[in-house]
């Protein structure tokens, strides 16, 4: 009978020793806020959600350990086991990590280690998983992408400046990223050998293995362009914009039995539920055992722009069922035209229905959702990524929904309330038909498909996400691309969708 070999634990080591001098900061760049959170918090979130990672150690710049400990405590990161002060050099910081990782290990026990730059906050789960999987076969793993630029080798000649001495074959050149992954025993041995070199100095860990353990092959895992390192002022701007535009795919279809288990006995309140997506969500949730309140101007006389009517609707649902678990707002108006030619009444209507109403719905829902640990679900449009002519009111209010979602998801996280936003591709709804007339069959998403994807988001643990629902998906239209790939797709598709 073969002996079972236990899978080694995998630890992510977040290297956060940078000072931020290159971006002109008085604090370490990993504490700089991007998209409302410190860079290191985005990075830690990625590893916290990585199924292939068991625990996390942070090596922080001297003097700033308490700052990271506060971030960890506030965010509730359960995988972060230690925050340690880093060394004065990259070498010393890695050596401190290796020492900490070795504590408590039994004789002959090994573990997987992923060293990752704290200032690479856009790392994907795919890269993490590929690194861990590669450690099943290899002792050392790097992450790299092809170089799109021609690389030149130069030499300085006094006051005359630099001159090219060589142009390497670009097809063989790669741009290194992190994480860099190792068996702990391997990276420890490499540093032990390096310690005997009086001139030892390294800026990354794979180079230490390459130089001091030349017989150990270093496997290369494909990185991605979004795994950028925030080192220059322009990087801060780019990363912030990528987070602002990033979207997610809808969670996998749960299946009817799972829906019944998750929705039975829950209360769903849908504003804009007279017809279209809102009515489909209410009907679908009710079919799985939820109590649905589909509210709308033409059916229940509920005007979303009236705060008193919104509060009355929520109060009634709570009084009758004893709870409010999900609040959804699909209400909206689409007014097309040049702003200079738009009258005040139209402007006021668009702002009241498309912006002020969701704000009032969110405010009125808070106390109910805090009690149930529920979710607020809002809706945007792909035009939120960039306004265009004759859609100024609609596009700007839909951009506001994304910002409202991101802000409230942070603001309400401590209360256990989830907040998400659905971004459907062009959808066959009465509002769209009224604006554009009949369109070719098959060119639009069905409102039922968007409702099904919305239900998937409601029963998930997601919060703070913009969820793309696209016609490309054979089930409900959800794209399987990564969030940042979808951000790019949204920008490219904005001319096509409203």
């Amino acid at each position: 009978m073969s002996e079972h070999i236990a899978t080694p634990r995998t630890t992510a080591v977040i290297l956060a020793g940078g000072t931020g001098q290159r971006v002109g900061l008085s604090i370490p760049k990993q504490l700089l806020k991007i998209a409302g959170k410190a860079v290191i918090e985005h990075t830690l979130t990625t590893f916290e959600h990585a199924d292939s990672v068991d625990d996390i150690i942070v090596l922080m710049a001297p003097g700033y350990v308490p700052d990271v400990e506060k971030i960890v405590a506030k965010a509730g990161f359960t995988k972060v086991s230690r925050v340690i002060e880093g060394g004065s050099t990259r070498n010393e910081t890695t050596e401190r990590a290796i020492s900490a990782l070795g504590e408590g290990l039994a004789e002959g026990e090994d573990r997987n280690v992923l060293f990752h730059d704290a200032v690479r906050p856009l790392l994907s789960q795919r890269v993490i998983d590929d690194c861990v999987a590669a450690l099943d076969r290899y002792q050392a793993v790097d992450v790299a992408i092809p170089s799109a630029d021609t690389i030149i080798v130069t030499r300085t000649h006094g006051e005359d400046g630099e001159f090219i001495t060589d142009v390497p074959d670009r097809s063989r050149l790669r741009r290194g990223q992190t994480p860099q992954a190792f068996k702990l025993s391997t990276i420890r041995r490499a540093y032990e050998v390096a310690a005997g070199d009086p001139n030892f100095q390294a800026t990354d860990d794979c180079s230490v293995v390459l130089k001091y353990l030349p017989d150990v092959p270093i496997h290369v895992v494909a990185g991605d362009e979004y795994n950028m390192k925030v080192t220059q002022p322009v990087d801060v701007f780019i990363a912030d914009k990528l987070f602002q535009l990033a979207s997610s795919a809808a969670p996998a279809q749960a299946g009817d039995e799972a829906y019944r288990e998750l929705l039975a006995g829950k209360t769903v309140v849908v504003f804009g539920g007279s017809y279209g997506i809102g009515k489909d969500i209410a009907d679908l949730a009710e079919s799985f055992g939820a109590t649905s309140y589909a509210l709308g101007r033409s059916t229940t006389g509920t005007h979303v722009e009236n705060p008193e009517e919104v509060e009355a609707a929520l109060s009634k649902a709570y009084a009758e069922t004893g709870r409010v678990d999900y609040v959804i707002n699909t209400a909206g108006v689409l007014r097309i035209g040049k702003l200079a030619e738009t009258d005040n009444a139209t402007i006021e209507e668009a702002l009241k229905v498309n912006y002020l109403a969701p704000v009032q719905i969110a405010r009125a829902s808070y106390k109910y959702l805090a009690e149930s640990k529920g979710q607020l679900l809002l809706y945007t449009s792909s035009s939120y990524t960039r306004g265009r002519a004759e859609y100024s009111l609609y596009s700007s209010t839909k951009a506001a929904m994304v910002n409202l979602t991101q802000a409230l998801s942070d603001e309400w996280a401590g209360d256990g309330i989830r907040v998400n936003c659905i971004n459907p591709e062009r959808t066959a709804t009465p509002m769209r038909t009224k604006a554009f007339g009949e369109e070719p069959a098959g060119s639009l998403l069905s409102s039922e498909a968007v409702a099904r994807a919305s239900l998937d988001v409601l029963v998930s643990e997601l919060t703070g996400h913009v969820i793309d629902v696209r016609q490309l998906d054979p089930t409900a239209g959800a794209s399987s691309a990564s969030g940042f790939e979808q951000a790019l797709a949204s920008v490219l598709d904005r001319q096509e969708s409203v």
Side-chain angles (χ1 to χ4, degrees), residues 202-224:
T203 56
D204 76 292
D205 299 306
C206 279
S207 64
V208 179
V209 174
L210 182 67
K211 182 174 182 178
Y212 298 102
L213 298 180
D215 294 333
V216 174
I218 303 174
H219 180 69
V220 178
V221 161
D224 64 55

Side-chain angles (χ1 to χ4, degrees), residues 346-366:
T346 300
I347 293 172
E348 188 173 331
E349 177 199 36
L351 293 177
K352 280 185 174 180
V353 176
N354 291 350
Y355 179 68
L356 289 178
V359 169
Q360 297 291 2
I361 288 169
R363 190 169 70 160
S365 300
Y366 171 78

Side-chain angles (χ1 to χ4, degrees), residues 46-288:
T46 299
F47 284 98
E48 177 78 15
H49 294 159
D51 293 336
S52 54
V53 171
D54 297 300
D55 59 294
I56 303 166
I57 293 176
V58 181
L59 276 294
M60 186 58 190
Y64 291 94
V65 167
D67 296 84
V68 177
E69 290 176 334
K70 288 177 184 177
I71 290 171
V72 170
K74 184 178 179 182
F77 294 133
T78 60
K79 289 185 180 180
V80 178
S81 59
R82 298 178 68 178
V83 181
I84 305 168
E85 191 169 277
S88 58
T89 64
R90 170 64 181 263
N91 304 356
E92 187 182 341
T93 297
T94 299
E95 287 168 353
R96 289 189 182 188
I98 291 170
S99 176
L101 289 165
E103 295 173 7
L105 283 185
E107 184 71 27
E109 184 182 356
D110 210 349
R111 70 166 65 191
N112 297 332
V113 186
L114 274 62
F115 291 99
H116 184 69
D117 298 324
V119 289
R120 291 186 186 271
L122 307 180
L123 176 67
S124 71
Q125 296 293 338
R126 192 271 303 168
V127 172
I128 295 174
D129 292 343
D130 285 356
C131 285
V132 176
L135 287 175
D136 287 340
R137 291 189 60 192
Y138 305 99
Q139 299 176 55
V141 177
D142 202 355
V143 172
I145 58 175
S147 175
D149 298 314
T150 296
I151 305 298
I152 60 175
V153 180
T154 67
R155 180 175 294 172
T156 301
H157 290 273
E159 296 180 356
D160 292 333
E162 290 185 299
F163 294 84
I164 293 176
T165 60
D166 192 18
V167 182
D169 179 3
R170 191 173 69 185
S171 68
R172 296 175 59 85
L173 298 178
R174 299 291 182 269
R175 290 159 51 200
Q177 300 182 331
T178 63
Q180 293 184 333
F182 308 92
K183 293 296 184 183
L184 177 58
S185 57
T186 299
I187 191 65
R188 180 196 287 130
R189 192 165 80 254
Y191 270 85
E192 287 172 350
V193 176
D197 181 355
N199 299 315
F200 170 54
Q201 201 170 25
T203 56
D204 76 292
D205 299 306
C206 279
S207 64
V208 179
V209 174
L210 182 67
K211 182 174 182 178
Y212 298 102
L213 298 180
D215 294 333
V216 174
I218 303 174
H219 180 69
V220 178
V221 161
D224 64 55
E225 290 286 350
Y226 297 101
N227 188 18
M228 62 180 289
K229 189 174 183 180
V230 179
T231 56
Q232 303 293 339
V234 69
D235 301 330
V236 176
F237 173 79
I238 293 170
D240 193 66
K241 287 302 177 185
L242 285 171
F243 272 112
Q244 180 185 4
L245 297 175
S247 54
S248 305
Q253 297 287 329
D256 288 0
E257 286 306 314
Y259 285 134
R260 290 188 186 93
E261 182 179 340
L262 293 165
L263 290 169
K266 299 295 178 65
T267 299
V268 180
V269 178
V270 184
F271 293 97
S274 295
Y275 50 77
I277 296 169
K279 184 176 188 306
D280 288 339
I281 292 172
D283 290 346
L284 197 56
E286 195 148 285
S287 74
F288 293 118

Side-chain angles (χ1 to χ4, degrees), residues 289-343:
T291 300
S292 292
Y293 291 82
L295 308 162
R297 181 177 304 187
S298 60
T299 51
T300 62
T302 306
H303 297 72
V304 292
E305 63 270 36
N306 187 321
E308 289 76 19
E309 292 182 20
V310 167
E311 177 54 53
L314 289 166
S315 179
K316 179 175 185 291
Y318 184 82
E320 293 179 356
T321 67
R323 60 190 301 134
V324 173
D325 299 279
Y326 305 112
V327 177
I328 299 136
N329 179 48
T330 64
V333 293
L334 174 58
R335 299 292 180 255
I336 304 170
K338 296 178 180 178
L339 184 62
E341 300 171 3
T342 304
D343 59 53

